[in-house]
Amino acid sequence: MTTQRSGRPEQQLFEDPAVDRLMGVLMALATEHYVLRDRVRALEGQLAKTGTLDVSALDAEPTAAELAAAQADRDAFAEALLKPLLGEQQAKGATGPFSLKKK
Amino acid sequence: MDERAFSAAQGFLLAAKMYWTTTLYRALRDEFLAKSSVDQKEQSVEDVAAILEDSPLYQYFAWLERHLQRMKYAGRYGLVPYHDERRGELLAALTGDAELDRDLELPGYYTGVDIHQHPGGLWSDATAALVYERGARSTTPMLGEAHKDLHDRFTDVVAAAGPPRRILDMGGGFGKSTGPLAERFPDSSVESVDLSAPCVTLGAHLAKQRQLDNVRYRQMDARSTDYSDASFDLVTSTMVLHELPTKALEELFDEALRVLEPGGRMVHLDFYSIPDGFRRFIHYGHARRNNEPFMQPLASTDLAALLKKKGFVDIEITPFKESEEIDIEKNDAWRFPWTVVTATKPEVSS
């Protein structure tokens, strides 16, 4: 996967720009977590409805074939999680620090 | 991305925005009031900045304002990739008779910044209006589905002076403002002009779906239309003035004056009247973080003086209630400084 980069530095909102980027990682992770949570809830609901939920099968270690099948999904997850570390804005606009303090 | 994942991610971001709009905003305001020793109405933006800019709470508030919006549009579950994946099907479904101008030269102020953090802006991709339409549903999270109500309430303001006959909606976009005007005044003819080809295309499509036959969508610069002098008795715009640099704003007013008949009215809905330094600080920060470079210049322009200089009379600048439930004085959640600006072309030119 090739990460697309804008080359434009993102706005800095914390004193330490590392915090800006770390927050980006955290929020991407939080979003992904919620997507997963929503899907699991839906899945379990459907399975429970039809009486086909097998908890022990769910807990079992995935097979090599299952792991290979999920590779692209893992790559996309990794990119979404780590891309904020580049510190680049997605939409072009004002950049750099901002202050309304008296000069 | 599948529909469920997109819906869950966007739902999470909206829930986070709601928390930001209410709890975090109130906490920031409380912190400011606790640290501020003078009457807040007397405080300048710089005074508020000196109090708040080093606050961790403010820094998180600012970060979330910028990045919840970024994640709404871009990234793995953003509106842009969602619509891009579905572009063939979505674009094939668009019908309508938008009048496009392939030779229209888009102004630099319009293409230079991706407003609202919408990558590529409202003009550079055919799906941009669909992205914008979807995004606008959660622009004002406190309003939720009532966002539509805001535009209906604007037609109440227009209707107060009697039903218009010929309306020009400047920067009418995909019709969020134009549609309610055309529906409210079925005997009028409405012209909606916008720089964005994707927006006028979607506007014409939605008008056709709603069987509105009294409205046209045309790709045109509102500052230099092809309408004859005195063609309209009403010129409107909704959330357009703050997208214009001062020179373009003046040109827009000049054009409105030209195409209005003597005695005709101009009514704009925008973000302008800000009661105190804290809210001005919040508004200017929003402008910066949401890629709105001309929001601060508009809010610091003396609009009444400018409109008077341009030759308008009966100038009124009034705070606007965006929903029935909101109490402007008592509201303690984040909101835009909604304002209606009305002015009239004199019966006899002075």
Side-chain angles (χ1 to χ4, degrees), chain B residues 8-287:
Chain B
Q10 290 285 331
F12 163 70
L13 294 172
L14 185 56
K17 184 75 183 284
M18 268 303 286
Y19 187 82
W20 174 92
T21 302
T22 54
T23 306
L24 286 183
Y25 177 81
R26 286 173 189 140
L28 188 65
R29 188 173 177 82
D30 289 348
E31 181 175 317
F32 166 71
L33 292 174
K35 288 178 174 173
S36 173
S37 53
V38 296
D39 182 350
Q40 53 172 312
K41 283 207 187 327
E42 302 297 316
Q43 281 173 317
S44 68
V45 168
E46 292 86 354
D47 295 334
V48 181
I51 291 171
L52 282 184
E53 281 189 355
D54 295 332
S55 152
L57 179 60
Y58 171 69
Q59 291 173 2
Y60 281 112
F61 177 88
W63 191 93
L64 284 169
E65 179 167 43
R66 174 137 182 104
H67 290 276
L68 289 175
Q69 180 78 355
R70 166 183 62 81
M71 294 172 79
K72 175 174 157 178
Y73 276 97
R76 195 177 183 194
Y77 298 107
L79 291 161
V80 168
Y82 172 86
H83 287 83
D84 186 45
E85 280 181 18
R86 292 156 177 78
R87 70 167 50 241
E89 179 193 343
L90 290 171
L91 296 177
L94 292 180
T95 58
D97 305 311
E99 188 183 308
L100 301 179
D101 179 1
R102 310 272 177 210
D103 299 325
L104 179 66
E105 198 175 323
L106 298 175
Y109 74 80
Y110 185 69
T111 58
V113 170
D114 293 340
I115 59 166
H116 315 144
Q117 293 197 67
H118 179 160
L122 299 182
W123 56 276
S124 70
D125 187 275
T127 65
L130 294 162
V131 168
Y132 185 39
E133 190 278 332
R134 184 82 184 222
R137 294 183 206 172
S138 55
T139 300
T140 50
M142 290 292 279
L143 294 181
E145 288 302 308
H147 191 85
K148 201 175 155 195
D149 180 48
L150 180 160
H151 298 280
D152 291 333
R153 291 178 66 79
F154 181 66
T155 67
D156 292 342
V157 175
V158 169
R165 289 164 283 117
R166 286 164 294 141
I167 307 172
L168 173 61
D169 195 22
M170 292 177 148
F174 62 84
K176 207 148 181 162
S177 56
T178 315
L181 286 167
E183 281 171 349
R184 176 75 180 257
F185 308 110
D187 296 330
S188 69
S189 66
V190 187
E191 300 280 301
S192 186
V193 300
D194 199 282
L195 290 168
S196 161
C199 281
V200 295
T201 301
L202 180 59
H205 168 74
L206 295 173
K208 191 175 177 185
Q209 274 194 328
R210 290 170 196 160
Q211 298 178 313
L212 288 172
D213 56 8
N214 61 334
V215 57
R216 282 202 304 171
Y217 285 86
R218 307 181 70 204
Q219 186 187 11
M220 198 179 287
D221 192 329
R223 299 172 300 160
S224 52
T225 69
D226 64 0
Y227 300 108
S228 308
D229 294 359
S231 294
F232 299 95
D233 58 322
L234 176 69
V235 169
T236 55
S237 83
T238 302
M239 291 175 269
V240 172
L241 305 185
H242 74 265
E243 306 291 5
L244 303 173
T246 306
K247 182 169 176 288
L249 181 69
E250 293 204 30
E251 289 164 354
L252 185 99
F253 289 150
D254 288 338
E255 183 67 355
L257 192 71
R258 184 185 73 77
V259 299
L260 276 172
E261 60 187 28
R265 267 176 107 215
M266 182 171 81
V267 188
H268 303 279
L269 177 61
D270 222 290
F271 312 129
Y272 184 70
S273 293
I274 307 171
D276 57 52
F278 175 77
R279 279 178 273 196
R280 192 167 288 274
F281 171 77
I282 292 293
H283 188 60
Y284 290 1
H286 169 81

Side-chain angles (χ1 to χ4, degrees), chain A residues 15 58 61 63 71 102:
Chain A
E15 283 157 33
L58 268 184
E61 187 181 354
T63 63
Q71 184 63 50
K102 240 174 204 149

Side-chain angles (χ1 to χ4, degrees), chain A residues 10-11 32 92 95-96 100, chain B residues 46 66 76-77 114 288:
Chain A
E10 181 51 280
Q11 291 183 16
E32 200 65 55
K92 67 187 175 206
T95 188
L100 292 167
Chain B
E46 292 86 354
R66 174 137 182 104
R76 195 177 183 194
Y77 298 107
D114 293 340
R288 168 75 171 196

